Amino acid sequence: MRIAILTGLFSLTLTACSDKDADTAHDDHADHDHDADADADADADADADADADADTDADADADADADADDTGTPDTSFSISGAASDPFTGEPAAAGLCVAAADPSPALIGGDLLILATGVTGEGGTYMLEGVETDSTLGLVVVVSDCPEAAEATLYNSGTGVSSSAYEGNVDVTDNTAFTLSNSMVAAIDGNLSALGHVDAEGEPATFEASGGLINFIFDAEGAPVSGATVSCAAGYCPAYYAADGEGFDLSATETGMMGLAVLPGAPITTYSVEHAEKSFGSATMGSLAGIALFVAMTEDVEEGEAE
């Protein structure tokens, strides 16, 4: 009986141990499964985080690229393009002439034109001046001349004004006409001046070729030449000679004719005004430099409400 009891107790003990081991194994297996699930979840979370980080980095890179495009350095330069031609003949300028954009501001204090960009005329007198940078509020001048290496001198240095409003905000100036002045026309001007007894401020005989001057066209509000106008200056000595109507080139008129043309040799830098019996004109500050002809235009004022 004692053996049976001991055997029973031993059996119970074995059974209890077996159950305990089974429970432990089961718990261990459950713990292992739980750990595996936790690891899998952690890996999934890590992958998701990595994907999110990658997406964030990609978005950040895209935003940075977009910001770089949006905040790029604004243009500080502009171009001037157009064609050069002779206003007296209407002929386009020859190819191979030198063209320059210049700031006339230094001339106000006795200096030279400040060259900002250069180029060469192509067929039909076309030109392109790129990379022009300026803050001049006086406007610019497009200068056309024979190039230094030219085999034959054909032109007198000439400049045509470009209003500062034309390039405001560094806007490209297109279809700009730059006028040329032939040496033969300068000879014709000086022939007239000599015949009319032109003298400089000191009373000495003077020529357009030596002193330069203004070639001033007077236009009405619609751009047509104005006859019957005269030009005067606020200070200095500035005799004006007017092209008469008729055959040939005659500067003996006392006021503008059908061409609306006034020639002012050796014109000092000052304020110029136009007088006319029926039309009103504003004034302009300008002048010439020795050895260069400056083409300018003075246009009739338009009363407010009259412009279309």
Side-chain angles (χ1 to χ4, degrees), residues 61-277:
D61 289 341
D63 289 342
D65 291 341
D67 289 341
D69 292 339
D70 291 342
T71 60
T73 303
D75 289 337
T76 58
S77 65
F78 58 93
S79 65
I80 303 175
S81 61
S85 63
D86 187 323
F88 298 104
T89 66
E91 294 294 322
L97 298 175
C98 283
V99 187
D103 181 355
S105 301
L108 295 177
I109 54 174
D112 296 324
L113 296 175
L114 175 62
I115 303 301
L116 304 175
T118 60
V120 178
T121 56
E123 293 299 323
T126 58
Y127 67 88
M128 168 68 79
L129 301 171
E130 298 181 295
V132 181
E133 295 188 28
T134 184
D135 56 4
S136 173
T137 58
L138 292 178
L140 301 178
V141 176
V142 175
V143 179
V144 184
S145 61
D146 291 317
C147 291
E149 64 274 13
E152 180 183 3
T154 60
L155 296 181
Y156 186 78
N157 298 335
S158 62
T160 305
V162 178
S163 170
S164 61
S165 62
Y167 55 82
E168 185 176 0
N170 295 320
V171 174
D172 291 338
V173 179
T174 59
D175 299 323
N176 187 70
T177 299
F179 290 127
T180 61
L181 186 64
S182 67
N183 286 333
S184 59
M185 179 54 73
V186 173
I189 292 173
D190 278 339
N192 276 266
L193 296 182
S194 178
L196 295 169
H198 172 68
V199 295
D200 60 19
E202 283 73 39
E204 297 295 327
T207 64
F208 192 99
E209 181 180 7
S211 62
L214 299 179
I215 307 292
N216 193 351
F217 288 96
I218 313 300
F219 296 116
D220 65 17
E222 296 183 355
V226 172
S227 59
T230 58
V231 181
S232 63
C233 64
Y237 176 73
C238 57
Y241 299 89
Y242 306 97
D245 298 332
E247 296 294 328
F249 186 71
D250 181 3
L251 292 178
S252 63
T254 57
E255 59 187 16
T256 57
M258 294 176 61
M259 292 179 64
L261 173 64
V263 176
L264 293 85
I269 298 174
T270 184
T271 301
Y272 289 81
S273 302
V274 174
E275 291 78 35
H276 191 274

